[in-house]
Amino acid sequence: MQEHPFQFARKISTLDHASRGRIAWNIVTNGLPNGARNFGLPSLTPHDERYRWAEEYMKVVYKLWEGSWDDDALLQNRASGRHGDSTKVHRINHVGEYYQVEGPHLCAPSPQRTPLLFQAGSSRTGMRFAARHAEAQFLITPTPAIAQGVIQQTRTLMQEYGRAPEDIKFFQGLSFVIGSTEEEVARKNRALDEALDYEAMIAHLGGIMDIDLDHGSLDDSISALQTEGAQSLLDWVRAAVPEREPTVGDIGVLAGRASRISGTPEQIADRLAVWQAIGIDGINVVNATIPGSYREFIAHVMPVLQARGLARRDFTSGTLRQRLCGRDRLAPPHPAARYRGMFHS
Ligand SMILES: Cc1cc2nc3c(=O)[nH]c(=O)nc-3n(C[C@H](O)[C@H](O)[C@H](O)COP(=O)(O)O)c2cc1C
């Protein structure tokens, strides 16, 4: 939303061409008041209005990516000297609440046309947005049980849009402390906790939750707090400590500890099998050090996951959507597909 959709659609198509169809887009409505002010808005747009705005944004880019060029518009015929058939490249003439975009799209169709669509944000409105648009969703829920709840609710909403449960893949963000013995794991955990700056993490996450830390303490309760910022993150901080009053300090715990899995590679594989069993399709390895966290995971945990059939050994070829979903293009009933063949001007 903070880049005009016409320009954004063009950039993404160019990247999708250049990468031969490897582009994904994480659609987020952002929760930072400062971000809004940097783009000329007086303050953060209210939460649900941001999602309404995002709905229109999606409509504009789908029209450009899917509807503006017919499949047979690009000729590239050397003999006739014709690059394209202009009768098959259409204006979209979008007129909405936030945007007016005439078109046509400036790029010939790229391998995926619409990039693979990720979404992050699991408030009630965010889940509905995901149910309609997303092919993959990022989560950082504190427990598998909470992730399971989000997955079930999103899948129930997907039915309203005629989409199948497997049309969204769920990716949980997790960090890892890996050791060959339990003593080594305990030592590395202590070292990590000493190195982590919990106040900085609270400031970072508190920013997108729109919580003002200048006027309170780490012990302040956040149970009654309402926010126009990131609502799911706030819900997950509260859900991580069901037995007591959640506080500002717990925001750092969600960021630094709740999504941390510690153990030997075998123990880590056991825990990942639990996440998989409740419906998580993939993980995001959250780093403590770069590239150390990734190197350790690849060297020690991946072989165990592969041996247990929890991770792939080989990669298939083709576009990113082909690898993840088994097709290059979005298919009906996804809302992007309805714009194909819709325009004639
Ligand atoms: C797992 C996760 C990842 C996120 N990643 C980003 C991001 O990369 N950039 C960003 O601006 N906002 C990001 N957000 C914040 C969302 O844009 C923000 O939470 C927004 O209000 C929508 O979330 P909600 O539906 O949970 O309220 C992320 C939120 C979550 C939960």
mmCIF file of all heavy atoms in Angstrom, residues 121-161:
data_model
loop_
_atom_site.group_PDB
_atom_site.id
_atom_site.type_symbol
_atom_site.label_atom_id
_atom_site.label_comp_id
_atom_site.label_asym_id
_atom_site.label_seq_id
_atom_site.Cartn_x
_atom_site.Cartn_y
_atom_site.Cartn_z
ATOM 1 N N GLY A 121 -0.103 -12.045 9.502
ATOM 2 C CA GLY A 121 -1.034 -11.253 10.326
ATOM 3 C C GLY A 121 -2.287 -12.063 10.513
ATOM 4 O O GLY A 121 -3.016 -12.295 9.554
ATOM 5 N N SER A 122 -2.514 -12.555 11.763
ATOM 6 C CA SER A 122 -3.615 -13.498 11.993
ATOM 7 C C SER A 122 -4.668 -12.952 12.941
ATOM 8 O O SER A 122 -5.254 -13.692 13.711
ATOM 9 C CB SER A 122 -3.069 -14.817 12.539
ATOM 10 O OG SER A 122 -2.167 -15.352 11.628
ATOM 11 N N SER A 123 -4.902 -11.635 12.903
ATOM 12 C CA SER A 123 -6.078 -11.103 13.595
ATOM 13 C C SER A 123 -7.298 -11.688 12.887
ATOM 14 O O SER A 123 -7.160 -12.319 11.825
ATOM 15 C CB SER A 123 -6.100 -9.582 13.479
ATOM 16 O OG SER A 123 -6.146 -9.230 12.104
ATOM 17 N N ARG A 124 -8.477 -11.445 13.418
ATOM 18 C CA ARG A 124 -9.709 -11.934 12.779
ATOM 19 C C ARG A 124 -9.760 -11.466 11.308
ATOM 20 O O ARG A 124 -10.009 -12.239 10.394
ATOM 21 C CB ARG A 124 -10.890 -11.369 13.592
ATOM 22 C CG ARG A 124 -12.205 -11.923 13.294
ATOM 23 C CD ARG A 124 -12.443 -13.268 13.969
ATOM 24 N NE ARG A 124 -13.466 -13.981 13.184
ATOM 25 C CZ ARG A 124 -13.483 -15.281 12.986
ATOM 26 N NH1 ARG A 124 -12.552 -16.046 13.509
ATOM 27 N NH2 ARG A 124 -14.422 -15.839 12.277
ATOM 28 N N THR A 125 -9.489 -10.183 11.106
ATOM 29 C CA THR A 125 -9.555 -9.630 9.749
ATOM 30 C C THR A 125 -8.404 -10.165 8.899
ATOM 31 O O THR A 125 -8.573 -10.411 7.702
ATOM 32 C CB THR A 125 -9.458 -8.082 9.791
ATOM 33 O OG1 THR A 125 -10.082 -7.629 10.981
ATOM 34 C CG2 THR A 125 -10.103 -7.440 8.600
ATOM 35 N N GLY A 126 -7.244 -10.356 9.529
ATOM 36 C CA GLY A 126 -6.083 -10.879 8.811
ATOM 37 C C GLY A 126 -6.332 -12.302 8.329
ATOM 38 O O GLY A 126 -5.956 -12.669 7.210
ATOM 39 N N MET A 127 -6.985 -13.108 9.177
ATOM 40 C CA MET A 127 -7.266 -14.494 8.779
ATOM 41 C C MET A 127 -8.220 -14.530 7.603
ATOM 42 O O MET A 127 -8.085 -15.345 6.690
ATOM 43 C CB MET A 127 -7.884 -15.265 9.951
ATOM 44 C CG MET A 127 -6.855 -15.883 10.843
ATOM 45 S SD MET A 127 -7.615 -17.049 11.961
ATOM 46 C CE MET A 127 -7.716 -16.049 13.399
ATOM 47 N N ARG A 128 -9.194 -13.630 7.622
ATOM 48 C CA ARG A 128 -10.154 -13.591 6.500
ATOM 49 C C ARG A 128 -9.430 -13.178 5.208
ATOM 50 O O ARG A 128 -9.675 -13.738 4.141
ATOM 51 C CB ARG A 128 -11.289 -12.619 6.840
ATOM 52 C CG ARG A 128 -12.387 -12.599 5.837
ATOM 53 C CD ARG A 128 -13.616 -11.894 6.366
ATOM 54 N NE ARG A 128 -14.476 -12.718 7.210
ATOM 55 C CZ ARG A 128 -15.259 -13.693 6.762
ATOM 56 N NH1 ARG A 128 -15.283 -13.979 5.478
ATOM 57 N NH2 ARG A 128 -16.002 -14.396 7.582
ATOM 58 N N PHE A 129 -8.509 -12.235 5.341
ATOM 59 C CA PHE A 129 -7.727 -11.797 4.168
ATOM 60 C C PHE A 129 -6.902 -12.977 3.639
ATOM 61 O O PHE A 129 -6.857 -13.240 2.440
ATOM 62 C CB PHE A 129 -6.824 -10.620 4.574
ATOM 63 C CG PHE A 129 -6.056 -10.023 3.438
ATOM 64 C CD1 PHE A 129 -6.589 -8.993 2.678
ATOM 65 C CD2 PHE A 129 -4.791 -10.497 3.110
ATOM 66 C CE1 PHE A 129 -5.880 -8.447 1.614
ATOM 67 C CE2 PHE A 129 -4.075 -9.958 2.055
ATOM 68 C CZ PHE A 129 -4.619 -8.926 1.301
ATOM 69 N N ALA A 130 -6.264 -13.704 4.561
ATOM 70 C CA ALA A 130 -5.466 -14.873 4.160
ATOM 71 C C ALA A 130 -6.353 -15.919 3.492
ATOM 72 O O ALA A 130 -5.989 -16.498 2.464
ATOM 73 C CB ALA A 130 -4.757 -15.473 5.372
ATOM 74 N N ALA A 131 -7.521 -16.164 4.086
ATOM 75 C CA ALA A 131 -8.419 -17.201 3.557
ATOM 76 C C ALA A 131 -8.789 -16.909 2.112
ATOM 77 O O ALA A 131 -8.991 -17.817 1.309
ATOM 78 C CB ALA A 131 -9.682 -17.276 4.418
ATOM 79 N N ARG A 132 -8.874 -15.634 1.765
ATOM 80 C CA ARG A 132 -9.264 -15.250 0.408
ATOM 81 C C ARG A 132 -8.067 -15.244 -0.549
ATOM 82 O O ARG A 132 -8.165 -15.718 -1.661
ATOM 83 C CB ARG A 132 -9.853 -13.842 0.490
ATOM 84 C CG ARG A 132 -10.791 -13.506 -0.594
ATOM 85 C CD ARG A 132 -11.599 -12.279 -0.177
ATOM 86 N NE ARG A 132 -11.587 -11.287 -1.234
ATOM 87 C CZ ARG A 132 -12.209 -11.446 -2.400
ATOM 88 N NH1 ARG A 132 -12.893 -12.550 -2.647
ATOM 89 N NH2 ARG A 132 -12.167 -10.501 -3.313
ATOM 90 N N HIS A 133 -6.911 -14.727 -0.067
ATOM 91 C CA HIS A 133 -5.817 -14.454 -1.004
ATOM 92 C C HIS A 133 -4.580 -15.339 -0.861
ATOM 93 O O HIS A 133 -3.886 -15.563 -1.843
ATOM 94 C CB HIS A 133 -5.340 -13.007 -0.830
ATOM 95 C CG HIS A 133 -6.391 -11.991 -1.128
ATOM 96 N ND1 HIS A 133 -6.731 -11.627 -2.403
ATOM 97 C CD2 HIS A 133 -7.205 -11.271 -0.304
ATOM 98 C CE1 HIS A 133 -7.705 -10.727 -2.369
ATOM 99 N NE2 HIS A 133 -8.007 -10.487 -1.109
ATOM 100 N N ALA A 134 -4.235 -15.754 0.365
ATOM 101 C CA ALA A 134 -2.892 -16.303 0.584
ATOM 102 C C ALA A 134 -2.738 -17.723 0.045
ATOM 103 O O ALA A 134 -3.677 -18.518 0.041
ATOM 104 C CB ALA A 134 -2.567 -16.295 2.079
ATOM 105 N N GLU A 135 -1.509 -18.014 -0.410
ATOM 106 C CA GLU A 135 -1.145 -19.394 -0.752
ATOM 107 C C GLU A 135 -0.237 -19.950 0.341
ATOM 108 O O GLU A 135 0.033 -21.142 0.391
ATOM 109 C CB GLU A 135 -0.408 -19.419 -2.086
ATOM 110 C CG GLU A 135 -1.241 -18.863 -3.234
ATOM 111 C CD GLU A 135 -0.434 -18.822 -4.509
ATOM 112 O OE1 GLU A 135 -0.438 -19.829 -5.233
ATOM 113 O OE2 GLU A 135 0.222 -17.788 -4.769
ATOM 114 N N ALA A 136 0.282 -19.058 1.178
ATOM 115 C CA ALA A 136 1.135 -19.452 2.300
ATOM 116 C C ALA A 136 0.996 -18.388 3.378
ATOM 117 O O ALA A 136 0.760 -17.218 3.061
ATOM 118 C CB ALA A 136 2.590 -19.561 1.853
ATOM 119 N N GLN A 137 1.105 -18.812 4.640
ATOM 120 C CA GLN A 137 0.997 -17.846 5.726
ATOM 121 C C GLN A 137 2.149 -18.011 6.713
ATOM 122 O O GLN A 137 2.488 -19.127 7.089
ATOM 123 C CB GLN A 137 -0.347 -17.986 6.451
ATOM 124 C CG GLN A 137 -0.641 -16.755 7.291
ATOM 125 C CD GLN A 137 -1.891 -16.857 8.140
ATOM 126 O OE1 GLN A 137 -2.353 -17.952 8.439
ATOM 127 N NE2 GLN A 137 -2.419 -15.731 8.554
ATOM 128 N N PHE A 138 2.743 -16.869 7.113
ATOM 129 C CA PHE A 138 3.779 -16.883 8.149
ATOM 130 C C PHE A 138 3.122 -16.754 9.519
ATOM 131 O O PHE A 138 2.279 -15.887 9.731
ATOM 132 C CB PHE A 138 4.724 -15.683 7.984
ATOM 133 C CG PHE A 138 5.691 -15.801 6.845
ATOM 134 C CD1 PHE A 138 5.801 -14.794 5.898
ATOM 135 C CD2 PHE A 138 6.524 -16.908 6.732
ATOM 136 C CE1 PHE A 138 6.706 -14.896 4.846
ATOM 137 C CE2 PHE A 138 7.434 -17.019 5.689
ATOM 138 C CZ PHE A 138 7.521 -16.014 4.744
ATOM 139 N N LEU A 139 3.537 -17.618 10.451
ATOM 140 C CA LEU A 139 3.071 -17.533 11.838
ATOM 141 C C LEU A 139 4.277 -17.470 12.756
ATOM 142 O O LEU A 139 5.335 -18.015 12.425
ATOM 143 C CB LEU A 139 2.269 -18.799 12.223
ATOM 144 C CG LEU A 139 1.093 -19.229 11.347
ATOM 145 C CD1 LEU A 139 0.549 -20.576 11.843
ATOM 146 C CD2 LEU A 139 -0.003 -18.179 11.381
ATOM 147 N N ILE A 140 4.116 -16.808 13.908
ATOM 148 C CA ILE A 140 5.105 -17.018 14.982
ATOM 149 C C ILE A 140 4.343 -17.256 16.286
ATOM 150 O O ILE A 140 4.516 -16.550 17.276
ATOM 151 C CB ILE A 140 6.136 -15.871 15.138
ATOM 152 C CG1 ILE A 140 5.494 -14.493 14.994
ATOM 153 C CG2 ILE A 140 7.312 -16.023 14.213
ATOM 154 C CD1 ILE A 140 6.437 -13.373 15.434
ATOM 155 N N THR A 141 3.488 -18.244 16.255
ATOM 156 C CA THR A 141 2.687 -18.588 17.431
ATOM 157 C C THR A 141 3.590 -19.212 18.497
ATOM 158 O O THR A 141 4.567 -19.886 18.163
ATOM 159 C CB THR A 141 1.591 -19.599 17.045
ATOM 160 O OG1 THR A 141 2.198 -20.628 16.271
ATOM 161 C CG2 THR A 141 0.506 -18.956 16.226
ATOM 162 N N PRO A 142 3.244 -18.993 19.797
ATOM 163 C CA PRO A 142 4.123 -19.523 20.847
ATOM 164 C C PRO A 142 4.032 -21.034 21.066
ATOM 165 O O PRO A 142 4.972 -21.612 21.613
ATOM 166 C CB PRO A 142 3.681 -18.765 22.108
ATOM 167 C CG PRO A 142 2.363 -18.186 21.794
ATOM 168 C CD PRO A 142 2.217 -18.088 20.311
ATOM 169 N N THR A 143 2.947 -21.682 20.666
ATOM 170 C CA THR A 143 2.833 -23.141 20.886
ATOM 171 C C THR A 143 2.141 -23.802 19.684
ATOM 172 O O THR A 143 1.362 -23.139 18.980
ATOM 173 C CB THR A 143 1.969 -23.481 22.131
ATOM 174 O OG1 THR A 143 0.635 -23.017 21.885
ATOM 175 C CG2 THR A 143 2.507 -22.846 23.407
ATOM 176 N N PRO A 144 2.367 -25.114 19.506
ATOM 177 C CA PRO A 144 1.655 -25.818 18.424
ATOM 178 C C PRO A 144 0.132 -25.726 18.587
ATOM 179 O O PRO A 144 -0.590 -25.591 17.601
ATOM 180 C CB PRO A 144 2.140 -27.269 18.561
ATOM 181 C CG PRO A 144 3.479 -27.169 19.217
ATOM 182 C CD PRO A 144 3.384 -25.986 20.138
ATOM 183 N N ALA A 145 -0.366 -25.756 19.836
ATOM 184 C CA ALA A 145 -1.824 -25.723 20.034
ATOM 185 C C ALA A 145 -2.407 -24.411 19.516
ATOM 186 O O ALA A 145 -3.489 -24.387 18.899
ATOM 187 C CB ALA A 145 -2.155 -25.899 21.517
ATOM 188 N N ILE A 146 -1.682 -23.314 19.729
ATOM 189 C CA ILE A 146 -2.187 -22.013 19.264
ATOM 190 C C ILE A 146 -2.128 -21.955 17.734
ATOM 191 O O ILE A 146 -3.048 -21.476 17.075
ATOM 192 C CB ILE A 146 -1.414 -20.858 19.940
ATOM 193 C CG1 ILE A 146 -1.716 -20.873 21.441
ATOM 194 C CG2 ILE A 146 -1.787 -19.512 19.330
ATOM 195 C CD1 ILE A 146 -0.833 -19.973 22.275
ATOM 196 N N ALA A 147 -1.060 -22.505 17.152
ATOM 197 C CA ALA A 147 -0.965 -22.560 15.683
ATOM 198 C C ALA A 147 -2.129 -23.370 15.115
ATOM 199 O O ALA A 147 -2.751 -22.989 14.117
ATOM 200 C CB ALA A 147 0.364 -23.187 15.264
ATOM 201 N N GLN A 148 -2.435 -24.472 15.784
ATOM 202 C CA GLN A 148 -3.520 -25.338 15.306
ATOM 203 C C GLN A 148 -4.843 -24.563 15.249
ATOM 204 O O GLN A 148 -5.624 -24.699 14.305
ATOM 205 C CB GLN A 148 -3.646 -26.536 16.250
ATOM 206 C CG GLN A 148 -4.550 -27.616 15.730
ATOM 207 C CD GLN A 148 -4.488 -28.857 16.613
ATOM 208 O OE1 GLN A 148 -4.198 -28.772 17.809
ATOM 209 N NE2 GLN A 148 -4.770 -30.000 16.022
ATOM 210 N N GLY A 149 -5.068 -23.735 16.278
ATOM 211 C CA GLY A 149 -6.286 -22.916 16.313
ATOM 212 C C GLY A 149 -6.339 -21.962 15.129
ATOM 213 O O GLY A 149 -7.374 -21.835 14.459
ATOM 214 N N VAL A 150 -5.197 -21.306 14.838
ATOM 215 C CA VAL A 150 -5.157 -20.349 13.714
ATOM 216 C C VAL A 150 -5.419 -21.095 12.400
ATOM 217 O O VAL A 150 -6.193 -20.644 11.549
ATOM 218 C CB VAL A 150 -3.782 -19.631 13.650
ATOM 219 C CG1 VAL A 150 -3.669 -18.771 12.393
ATOM 220 C CG2 VAL A 150 -3.543 -18.783 14.895
ATOM 221 N N ILE A 151 -4.781 -22.257 12.252
ATOM 222 C CA ILE A 151 -4.932 -23.031 11.012
ATOM 223 C C ILE A 151 -6.393 -23.449 10.823
ATOM 224 O O ILE A 151 -6.980 -23.291 9.751
ATOM 225 C CB ILE A 151 -3.984 -24.260 11.018
ATOM 226 C CG1 ILE A 151 -2.524 -23.790 10.968
ATOM 227 C CG2 ILE A 151 -4.287 -25.204 9.861
ATOM 228 C CD1 ILE A 151 -1.491 -24.878 11.232
ATOM 229 N N GLN A 152 -7.005 -23.940 11.925
ATOM 230 C CA GLN A 152 -8.401 -24.392 11.811
ATOM 231 C C GLN A 152 -9.334 -23.237 11.453
ATOM 232 O O GLN A 152 -10.186 -23.359 10.574
ATOM 233 C CB GLN A 152 -8.863 -25.020 13.123
ATOM 234 C CG GLN A 152 -8.557 -26.500 13.158
ATOM 235 C CD GLN A 152 -8.665 -27.077 14.561
ATOM 236 O OE1 GLN A 152 -8.999 -26.377 15.517
ATOM 237 N NE2 GLN A 152 -8.355 -28.348 14.689
ATOM 238 N N GLN A 153 -9.127 -22.100 12.139
ATOM 239 C CA GLN A 153 -10.015 -20.961 11.864
ATOM 240 C C GLN A 153 -9.829 -20.461 10.435
ATOM 241 O O GLN A 153 -10.804 -20.127 9.756
ATOM 242 C CB GLN A 153 -9.711 -19.812 12.823
ATOM 243 C CG GLN A 153 -10.220 -20.063 14.226
ATOM 244 C CD GLN A 153 -9.903 -18.862 15.119
ATOM 245 O OE1 GLN A 153 -10.416 -17.784 14.920
ATOM 246 N NE2 GLN A 153 -9.027 -19.048 16.079
ATOM 247 N N THR A 154 -8.575 -20.414 9.968
ATOM 248 C CA THR A 154 -8.331 -19.936 8.599
ATOM 249 C C THR A 154 -8.977 -20.893 7.596
ATOM 250 O O THR A 154 -9.612 -20.473 6.627
ATOM 251 C CB THR A 154 -6.809 -19.823 8.333
ATOM 252 O OG1 THR A 154 -6.226 -19.049 9.381
ATOM 253 C CG2 THR A 154 -6.518 -19.165 6.992
ATOM 254 N N ARG A 155 -8.855 -22.196 7.875
ATOM 255 C CA ARG A 155 -9.423 -23.176 6.934
ATOM 256 C C ARG A 155 -10.946 -23.122 6.910
ATOM 257 O O ARG A 155 -11.562 -23.319 5.862
ATOM 258 C CB ARG A 155 -8.918 -24.572 7.273
ATOM 259 C CG ARG A 155 -7.440 -24.669 6.946
ATOM 260 C CD ARG A 155 -6.942 -26.072 6.773
ATOM 261 N NE ARG A 155 -5.700 -26.028 6.027
ATOM 262 C CZ ARG A 155 -4.626 -26.758 6.315
ATOM 263 N NH1 ARG A 155 -4.642 -27.598 7.342
ATOM 264 N NH2 ARG A 155 -3.545 -26.656 5.570
ATOM 265 N N THR A 156 -11.555 -22.845 8.050
ATOM 266 C CA THR A 156 -13.017 -22.699 8.078
ATOM 267 C C THR A 156 -13.414 -21.508 7.205
ATOM 268 O O THR A 156 -14.366 -21.573 6.420
ATOM 269 C CB THR A 156 -13.494 -22.488 9.530
ATOM 270 O OG1 THR A 156 -13.036 -23.594 10.296
ATOM 271 C CG2 THR A 156 -14.997 -22.387 9.632
ATOM 272 N N LEU A 157 -12.669 -20.400 7.333
ATOM 273 C CA LEU A 157 -12.983 -19.220 6.517
ATOM 274 C C LEU A 157 -12.746 -19.489 5.036
ATOM 275 O O LEU A 157 -13.465 -18.986 4.170
ATOM 276 C CB LEU A 157 -12.120 -18.030 6.965
ATOM 277 C CG LEU A 157 -12.463 -17.441 8.341
ATOM 278 C CD1 LEU A 157 -11.385 -16.462 8.795
ATOM 279 C CD2 LEU A 157 -13.817 -16.743 8.294
ATOM 280 N N MET A 158 -11.736 -20.326 4.709
ATOM 281 C CA MET A 158 -11.450 -20.628 3.297
ATOM 282 C C MET A 158 -12.650 -21.259 2.596
ATOM 283 O O MET A 158 -12.880 -21.038 1.405
ATOM 284 C CB MET A 158 -10.256 -21.585 3.185
ATOM 285 C CG MET A 158 -8.925 -20.943 3.494
ATOM 286 S SD MET A 158 -7.641 -22.192 3.605
ATOM 287 C CE MET A 158 -7.283 -22.462 1.857
ATOM 288 N N GLN A 159 -13.418 -22.053 3.369
ATOM 289 C CA GLN A 159 -14.588 -22.708 2.769
ATOM 290 C C GLN A 159 -15.564 -21.683 2.199
ATOM 291 O O GLN A 159 -16.192 -21.904 1.177
ATOM 292 C CB GLN A 159 -15.311 -23.557 3.810
ATOM 293 C CG GLN A 159 -14.542 -24.794 4.186
ATOM 294 C CD GLN A 159 -15.182 -25.502 5.376
ATOM 295 O OE1 GLN A 159 -16.270 -25.161 5.817
ATOM 296 N NE2 GLN A 159 -14.489 -26.483 5.917
ATOM 297 N N GLU A 160 -15.665 -20.524 2.893
ATOM 298 C CA GLU A 160 -16.579 -19.476 2.406
ATOM 299 C C GLU A 160 -16.186 -18.991 1.025
ATOM 300 O O GLU A 160 -17.002 -18.475 0.282
ATOM 301 C CB GLU A 160 -16.578 -18.273 3.352
ATOM 302 C CG GLU A 160 -17.297 -18.524 4.633
ATOM 303 C CD GLU A 160 -17.317 -17.287 5.515
ATOM 304 O OE1 GLU A 160 -17.363 -16.154 4.992
ATOM 305 O OE2 GLU A 160 -17.266 -17.472 6.739
ATOM 306 N N TYR A 161 -14.893 -19.098 0.710
ATOM 307 C CA TYR A 161 -14.423 -18.615 -0.600
ATOM 308 C C TYR A 161 -14.222 -19.779 -1.564
ATOM 309 O O TYR A 161 -13.613 -19.616 -2.627
ATOM 310 C CB TYR A 161 -13.120 -17.825 -0.423
ATOM 311 C CG TYR A 161 -13.310 -16.625 0.479
ATOM 312 C CD1 TYR A 161 -12.724 -16.573 1.737
ATOM 313 C CD2 TYR A 161 -14.115 -15.561 0.067
ATOM 314 C CE1 TYR A 161 -12.928 -15.478 2.569
ATOM 315 C CE2 TYR A 161 -14.328 -14.469 0.893
ATOM 316 C CZ TYR A 161 -13.725 -14.435 2.140
ATOM 317 O OH TYR A 161 -13.933 -13.362 2.957
#
